[in-house]
């Protein structure tokens, strides 16, 4: 018979299960029990009950699907039997915990091998049900998450491997180096990071096409892998650059032996398709911990050394040395960061007006790319376009650029601006893209724009690298209404036959001629002839780089139709340019006056030096982190108690995190050490920059320094 309590439990149970109860409690209980049995048996999860000594009391049938054993084979066995040592300990700890704290649940993951060695990934929860009369054991609920983990692994694999060679990629390299540095921080341990780059690969790719280039890369990988074996780390770092890690050699010359052997792997020619290619490689090496302990800097240093091998004539190796210099360091940083710069939204498009010289009407805008780099500030395209060409990244960059230009142009039109043209620069490498013209048209169509607004600026290298394709592509572009301008005319071969055979619409005379017009005869004669020639051939002419009224006067006198240059406007962001566009005209203004006379930047009395003072400048990112990248020669123009002004051939960002250190030779072969950070910069001539530096010294140091500088100046004046 049921007592009152049992009756209530029975009633609750039947209600909770929305059960069509028969009124016969025994029958009903059997039904409910049956229901749970079916649920447990059909579930893909595994339910297991073990005793505190780990003996399996019950396990549901799903276990067979996961580890291949039937419940009968498992019941009575020890639950730890199938676990690896580490997993065992983890599992025992969790069971101990729920035994101690019965109200808690524990959760964990583990990997289990089935009878055939296939690994399944499981997640489980453990709860203590020893006090529950119907169970009297520890309940473990297992769920198979193999699919999820395999998916994650697949995604991880794709993110860290190169598709062509199946080798780890640069993301994996960084991870590997971080792991090695972390694991071995306190040990007497070392490794060499070797960067290897195929010399002249770009030309092989250009001449023979990407498919053969790819075959070559695969063969290079096989040779390297054959030599290194399975245990050494080999990765495809970028297009034709591989990275290798060699670990734990006793002496540095042993590393050198390995590097030599790697270089020797390339002495036999490669057979690719019908071609036999003789190739060489350049190598750059950095050493952990000797050169650096920081993974990013180690990679940078290996890249710097590689670049140095290339600069010194290729087919050689270079170990890192701090003598390398700031300019190469900057190139390495830029090369490293370039690929990510689109997604990090670091590019911008600036616009410069092309003006009809007689009327000052704006005819077109030249779109010029800018890279706002977090460390180096605004980087000029001259510093990164060739890097983008080397890696093939120029294709993505070109697409990004055209998208931006279309977006901006559409917004100008929507704001009711006059329908000028926009001139976009294209690199010869972009002509190697298979669907080059179609891609351009697709992008323009996306913005519902008429292709007539676009001018494509190319240089003569387009005709030299791939003339057949260039002729076809240019015709197709012109058929769509896109005009083609030949940029920088006069700097390359300047073959006049190009003008005819390629049916160029616009010719741009390079600014080097405009700069010297009226100053040297050759430039004046060439400029004059190019203007006449363009008129005869009915090609529109743009004079580049007009900087002053004299040049403008000459060009107007010679009937030059249009031009651009700082005299009209410096390239500017689109929101500023649109204000200019709204006026329709862009008048020549002597902007450069300001530059010529030199802007007054200094607040303090400065000591003007009788002659430029040569100093060594090195760069540090922050005071506590010394960048070991050597120094560059600079010319100090003047000094005050608070700062100095110097000129250098390297472009630096203006940023107070950038510590500069100057070593200025003083009396008796000694040196004064001055530290500061740049507070302003300006371009003076081609690739030559002037900077103002504010000193970063304590007041007492400043007094000493001023005394020292004062005596130095006195000496210079006496000497003069
Ligand atoms: P470019 O096409 O000959 O562009 C003209 C360059 O001269 C621009 O330099 C412009 O700022 C500069 N300039 C214009 N007027 C004057 C002047 O009066 N005086 C002086 N000193 N310079 C003047 P920027 O913007 O640094 O670009 C340099 C080169 O980088 C460009 O030369 C072009 O060849 C390339 N470039 C720029 N943007 C792109 C791009 O989106 N794609 C490709 N492939 N190349 C680009
Ligand atoms: Mg141009
Ligand atoms: Mg140009």
């Amino acid at each position: 018979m049921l007592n009152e309590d049992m009756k209530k439990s029975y009633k609750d149970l039947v209600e909770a299960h929305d059960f069509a109860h028969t009124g016969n409690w025994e029958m009903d209980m059997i039904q409910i029990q049956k229901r749970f049995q079916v649920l447990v048996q059909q579930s893909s999860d595994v339910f297991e009950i073990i005793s505190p000594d780990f003996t399996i009391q019950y396990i549901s049938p799903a276990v067979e699907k996961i580890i291949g054993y039937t419940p009968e084979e498992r019941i009575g066995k020890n639950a730890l039997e199938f676990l690896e040592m580490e997993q065992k300990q983890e599992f025992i700890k969790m069971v101990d915990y729920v035994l101690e704290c019965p109200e808690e649940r524990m959760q964990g993951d583990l990997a289990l091998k089935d009878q055939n060695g296939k690994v399944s990934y499981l997640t489980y929860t453990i709860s203590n049900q020893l006090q529950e009369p119907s169970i009297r054991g520890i309940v473990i609920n297992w769920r198979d998450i193999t699919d999820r983990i395999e998916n994650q692994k697949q995604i991880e694999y794709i993110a860290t491997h190169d598709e062509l060679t199946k080798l780890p990629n640069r993301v994996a390299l960084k991870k590997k180096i971080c792991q090695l540095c972390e694991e071995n921080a306190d040990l007497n341990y070392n490794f060499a990071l070797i960067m290897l780059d195929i010399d002249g690969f770009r030309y092989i790719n250009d001449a023979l096409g990407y498919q053969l280039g790819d075959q070559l890369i695969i063969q290079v990988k096989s040779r390297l892998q054959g030599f290194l074996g399975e245990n050494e780390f080999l990765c495809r770092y970028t297009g034709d650059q591989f990275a290798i890690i060699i670990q734990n050699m006793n002496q540095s010359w042993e590393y050198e032996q390995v590097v030599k052997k790697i270089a020797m792997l390339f002495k036999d020619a490669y057979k690719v398709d019908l071609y036999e290619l003789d190739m060489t490689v350049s190598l750059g090496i950095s050493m952990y911990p000797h050169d650096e302990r920081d993974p990013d800097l180690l990679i940078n240093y290996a890249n710097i050394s590689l670049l140095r091998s290339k600069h010194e004539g290729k087919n050689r190796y270079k170990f890192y040395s701090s003598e390398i210099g700031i300019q190469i360091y900057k190139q390495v940083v830029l090369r490293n960061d370039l690929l990510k710069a689109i997604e990090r939204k670091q590019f911008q498009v600036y616009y410069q007006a092309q003006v009809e010289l007689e009327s000052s009407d704006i005819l077109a805008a030249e779109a010029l790319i800018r890279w706002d780099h977090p460390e180096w500030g605004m980087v000029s395209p001259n510093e990164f376009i060739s890097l983008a060409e080397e890696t093939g990244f120029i294709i993505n960059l070109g697409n990004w650029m055209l998208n931006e230009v279309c977006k901006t142009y559409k917004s100008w039109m929507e704001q009711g601006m006059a329908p000028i043209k926009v001139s976009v620069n294209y690199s010869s490498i972009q002509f190697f893209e298979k669907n080059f013209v179609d891609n351009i048209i697709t992008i323009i169509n996306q913005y519902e724009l008429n292709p007539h607004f676009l001018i494509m600026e190319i240089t003569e290298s387009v005709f030299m690298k791939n003339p057949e394709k260039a002729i076809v592509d240019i015709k197709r572009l012109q058929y769509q209404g896109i005009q083609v301008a030949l940029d920088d005319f006069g700097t390359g071969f300047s073959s006049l036959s190009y003008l005819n055979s390629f049916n160029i619409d616009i010719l741009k005379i390079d600014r080097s001629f405009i700069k010297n017009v009226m100053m040297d005869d050759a430039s004046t004669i060439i400029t004059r002839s190019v203007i006449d020639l363009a008129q005869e051939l009915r090609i529109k002419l743009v004079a580049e780089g007009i900087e002053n009224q004299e040049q403008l006067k000459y060009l107007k006198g010679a009937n030059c139709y249009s031009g651009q240059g700082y005299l009209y406007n410096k390239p500017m962001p689109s929101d500023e340019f649109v204000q200019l566009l709204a006026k329709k005209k862009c008048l020549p203004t002597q902007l450069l006056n300001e530059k010529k006379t030199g802007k007054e930047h200094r607040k303090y009395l400065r000591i003007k030096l009788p002659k430029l003072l040569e100093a060594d400048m090195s760069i540090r990112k922050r005071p506590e982190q010394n960048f070991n990248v050597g120094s560059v020669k600079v010319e100090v123009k003047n000094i005050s108690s608070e700062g100095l002004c110097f000129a250098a051939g390297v472009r630096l960002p203006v940023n107070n995190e950038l510590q500069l250190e100057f070593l200025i030779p003083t009396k008796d072969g000694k040196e004064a050490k001055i530290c500061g950070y740049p507070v302003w910069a300006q371009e003076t001539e081609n690739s030559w920059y002037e900077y103002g530096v504010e000193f970063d010294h304590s007041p007492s140091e400043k007094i000493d320094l001023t005394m020292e500088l004062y005596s130095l100046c006195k000496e210079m004046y006496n000497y003069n």
Side-chain angles (χ1 to χ4, degrees):
M1 275 305 282
L2 295 177
N3 63 27
E4 280 313 303
D5 274 357
M6 287 166 83
K7 264 188 200 163
K8 182 160 185 318
S9 304
Y10 164 62
K11 201 165 158 267
D12 287 350
L13 199 61
V14 167
E15 270 171 15
H17 287 268
D18 188 21
F19 218 75
H21 60 97
T22 59
N24 176 340
W25 74 271
E26 277 175 324
M27 287 279 283
D28 286 348
M29 289 314 280
I30 288 169
Q31 285 294 336
I32 289 170
Q33 197 181 1
K34 179 93 184 145
R35 169 180 264 204
F36 281 115
Q37 231 168 11
V38 171
L39 285 177
V40 167
Q41 299 216 334
Q42 294 304 316
S43 169
S44 55
D45 287 4
V46 176
F47 299 92
E48 183 178 22
I49 303 172
I50 61 170
S51 47
D53 68 354
F54 297 97
T55 308
I56 301 172
Q57 296 171 359
Y58 170 81
I59 191 156
S60 65
V63 68
E64 195 175 347
K65 263 191 247 143
I66 299 178
I67 52 170
Y69 291 98
T70 61
E72 293 71 38
E73 286 174 299
R74 299 288 293 129
I75 291 170
K77 300 262 168 58
N78 191 303
L80 301 176
E81 211 175 276
F82 287 86
L83 306 184
E84 307 279 339
M85 202 45 185
E86 243 176 56
Q87 299 179 336
K88 245 182 223 173
Q89 282 164 354
E90 180 76 20
F91 192 74
I92 293 172
K93 249 198 245 160
M94 293 212 192
V95 171
D96 283 351
Y97 186 80
V98 294
L99 285 174
E100 236 173 73
C101 314
E103 65 291 349
E104 301 276 351
R105 274 164 167 268
M106 294 302 283
Q107 192 166 22
D109 296 328
L110 55 77
L112 264 195
K113 276 193 191 147
D114 73 4
Q115 279 172 318
N116 307 317
K118 183 178 158 265
V119 179
S120 298
Y121 297 92
L122 304 170
T123 179
Y124 60 89
T125 50
I126 304 181
S127 66
N128 181 343
Q129 303 294 337
L130 283 166
Q131 299 309 319
E132 166 57 49
S134 60
I135 297 200
R136 296 208 183 284
I138 292 157
V139 174
I140 304 154
N141 185 350
W142 303 92
R143 173 163 295 174
D144 187 351
I145 51 165
T146 308
D147 286 348
R148 200 173 80 205
I149 299 283
E150 293 293 345
N151 269 343
Q152 270 172 5
K153 283 192 162 180
Q154 185 69 17
I155 292 170
E156 164 103 3
Y157 181 87
I158 293 170
T160 54
H161 285 76
D162 162 52
E163 207 183 322
L164 177 70
T165 58
K166 310 281 178 278
L167 287 176
N169 62 12
R170 54 196 279 157
V171 176
L173 173 72
K174 170 94 183 280
K175 267 192 184 167
K176 177 77 184 178
I177 295 181
C178 287
Q179 179 206 338
L180 290 178
C181 293
E182 228 163 72
E183 283 172 2
N184 302 295
D186 306 324
L187 304 173
N188 184 13
Y189 165 85
N190 55 59
F191 68 82
L193 170 61
I194 306 172
M195 289 290 182
L196 176 149
D197 190 275
I198 305 172
D199 294 332
F201 179 75
R202 194 174 124 199
Y203 299 102
I204 295 170
N205 233 355
D206 287 356
L208 307 182
Y210 284 114
Q211 283 98 338
L212 294 196
D214 282 356
Q215 281 184 35
L216 183 65
I217 293 287
I218 290 174
Q219 289 195 30
V220 168
K221 166 210 153 178
S222 305
R223 279 196 199 180
L224 286 171
Q225 229 165 20
F227 171 73
L228 294 168
E230 290 292 302
N231 293 333
E232 305 298 350
F233 183 88
L234 169 66
C235 106
R236 187 176 180 204
Y237 188 72
T238 55
D240 62 332
Q241 187 175 335
F242 293 83
I244 300 159
I245 297 175
I246 306 283
Q247 299 181 56
N248 256 342
M249 306 224 135
N250 292 324
Q251 308 286 339
S252 60
W253 60 263
E254 291 178 74
Y255 282 114
E256 194 159 355
Q257 291 298 341
V258 176
V259 170
K260 280 186 184 162
K261 282 185 191 157
I262 292 176
M264 286 299 283
L265 295 174
F266 295 84
K267 78 177 190 332
D268 297 332
Y270 282 77
K271 284 200 182 64
V272 180
D273 208 33
L274 300 173
Y275 306 92
E276 281 223 353
L277 304 172
D278 273 320
M279 277 182 1
T280 57
V281 292
S282 300
L283 300 121
I285 306 108
S286 65
M287 304 285 302
Y288 172 94
H290 177 268
D291 296 330
E292 184 50 59
R293 285 176 178 270
D294 175 80
D296 281 322
L297 286 180
L298 265 175
I299 294 175
N300 274 353
Y301 288 177
N303 276 326
I304 287 173
S305 317
L306 173 64
L307 220 64
R308 197 167 154 217
S309 303
K310 296 245 167 199
H311 274 256
E312 289 189 9
K314 304 177 180 167
N315 192 18
R316 66 197 64 212
Y317 62 87
K318 282 275 167 228
F319 279 78
Y320 176 73
S321 106
S322 61
E323 301 297 291
I324 276 173
I326 293 169
Q327 193 66 47
I328 289 188
Y329 173 73
K330 182 176 181 184
Q331 266 194 44
V332 169
V333 173
L334 296 184
R335 187 188 291 256
N336 247 342
D337 294 350
L338 190 60
L339 300 180
K340 292 265 174 204
I342 289 186
E343 65 191 69
R344 291 180 182 155
K345 298 195 177 8
Q346 290 168 349
F347 289 120
Q348 291 169 23
V349 184
Y350 275 34
Y351 294 88
Q352 186 181 37
Q354 288 176 4
V355 176
E356 187 185 343
L357 300 187
E358 268 314 318
S359 62
S360 295
D361 286 346
I362 301 177
L363 302 173
E366 176 167 9
L368 294 158
I369 196 160
R370 293 289 178 271
W371 180 8
D372 192 4
H373 188 275
E375 224 178 279
W376 289 95
M378 219 38 116
V379 182
S380 141
N382 288 326
E383 290 183 274
F384 66 85
I385 291 290
S386 60
L387 297 180
E389 288 178 340
E390 271 171 39
T391 50
F393 179 67
I394 190 77
I395 307 273
N396 297 351
L397 194 60
N399 288 336
W400 177 88
M401 183 78 185
L402 185 58
N403 264 296
E404 280 300 304
V405 164
C406 288
K407 208 187 298 170
T408 303
Y409 190 75
K410 192 164 171 94
S411 92
W412 289 348
M413 292 306 103
E414 283 165 359
Q415 292 171 57
M417 297 297 143
I420 59 158
K421 301 215 177 230
V422 182
S423 207
V424 179
N425 292 282
Y426 274 82
S427 145
S428 57
I429 305 293
Q430 291 173 273
F431 277 81
F432 284 101
E433 203 189 359
K434 220 165 110 208
N435 304 321
F436 177 56
V437 177
D438 295 331
N439 286 347
I440 291 178
I441 300 299
T442 312
I443 294 177
I444 296 177
N445 285 344
Q446 274 167 16
Y447 293 88
E448 296 169 343
L449 291 170
N450 185 333
H452 282 82
F453 87 96
L454 194 66
I455 301 172
M456 177 181 286
E457 290 196 13
I458 55 173
T459 57
E460 284 164 296
S461 59
V462 169
F463 308 136
M464 290 184 300
K465 288 219 174 109
N466 202 349
E468 293 83 19
K469 186 167 183 290
I471 290 188
V472 177
D473 282 354
I474 287 175
K475 273 203 181 123
R476 287 189 58 205
L477 289 166
Q478 288 173 327
Y479 179 75
Q480 296 283 345
I482 297 173
Q483 291 190 329
V484 176
L486 191 55
D487 203 356
D488 304 343
F489 189 73
T491 53
F493 278 72
S494 308
S495 165
L496 300 177
S497 64
Y498 290 147
L499 299 179
N500 263 338
S501 43
F502 288 92
N503 192 21
I504 295 296
D505 301 290
I506 299 164
L507 194 61
K508 298 186 75 176
I509 322 179
D510 190 66
R511 71 163 193 267
S512 52
F513 296 105
I514 310 301
K515 190 174 171 208
N516 295 324
V517 94
M518 317 250 293
M519 297 215 291
D520 80 55
D521 286 348
S523 296
T524 316
I525 293 168
I526 292 173
T527 308
R528 179 90 223 187
S529 332
V530 174
I531 296 173
D532 292 345
L533 177 83
Q535 274 166 358
E536 230 162 84
L537 294 175
R538 295 180 193 288
I539 297 175
K540 283 186 208 134
L541 193 72
V542 182
E544 292 191 289
I546 310 177
E547 292 192 349
N548 57 45
Q549 292 289 357
E550 294 78 56
Q551 293 162 350
L552 177 61
K553 200 167 148 208
Y554 176 83
L555 291 167
K556 275 187 181 172
N559 269 334
C560 176
Y561 175 62
S562 64
Q564 65 187 89
Y566 293 169
L567 181 64
Y568 288 97
N569 82 316
K570 278 199 158 183
M572 51 177 69
S574 74
D575 48 350
E576 278 175 47
F577 187 79
V578 76
Q579 295 170 22
L580 199 64
L581 198 52
K583 295 182 195 145
K584 297 201 172 103
K585 284 188 190 290
C586 180
L587 297 170
T589 42
Q590 194 82 21
L591 255 182
L592 294 180
N593 275 346
E594 172 196 334
K595 210 171 94 181
K596 271 192 178 157
T597 50
K599 229 177 186 168
E600 191 50 60
H601 292 284
R602 311 295 304 275
K603 285 183 283 200
Y604 304 94
L605 181 67
R606 73 185 109 173
I607 308 165
K608 195 159 186 316
L609 302 169
K611 60 174 186 171
L612 295 174
L613 186 61
E614 195 170 83
D616 280 322
M617 183 192 77
S618 54
I619 188 173
R620 314 170 183 184
K621 194 176 180 190
R622 291 187 191 87
E624 71 276 11
Q625 186 184 5
N626 208 341
F627 259 122
N628 203 8
V629 291
S631 61
V632 65
K633 290 259 178 267
V634 303
E635 288 169 350
V636 178
K637 293 182 77 176
N638 58 56
I639 301 181
S640 78
S641 59
E642 299 296 324
L644 58 78
C645 167
F646 74 94
V650 57
R651 188 163 175 155
L652 302 167
V654 173
N655 157 350
N656 62 7
E657 279 199 1
L658 190 82
Q659 278 258 338
L660 302 176
E661 185 180 287
F662 299 84
L663 290 179
I664 301 183
T666 57
K667 279 185 290 186
D668 319 325
K670 287 191 185 145
E671 284 174 324
K673 186 166 148 186
I674 304 180
C675 293
Y677 47 88
V679 287
W680 59 262
Q682 71 186 23
E683 188 175 356
T684 52
E685 294 161 39
N686 270 349
S687 312
W688 198 246
Y689 305 89
E690 259 180 37
Y691 300 89
V693 171
E694 214 160 282
F695 291 156
D696 193 12
H697 289 277
S698 67
S700 68
E701 280 173 342
K702 271 185 199 160
I703 294 172
D704 291 348
L705 202 63
T706 315
M707 294 306 291
E708 205 164 345
L709 293 172
Y710 175 72
S711 65
L712 174 71
C713 290
K714 219 169 84 183
E715 197 181 322
M716 282 173 82
Y717 274 107
N718 288 341
Y719 185 77
N720 264 1

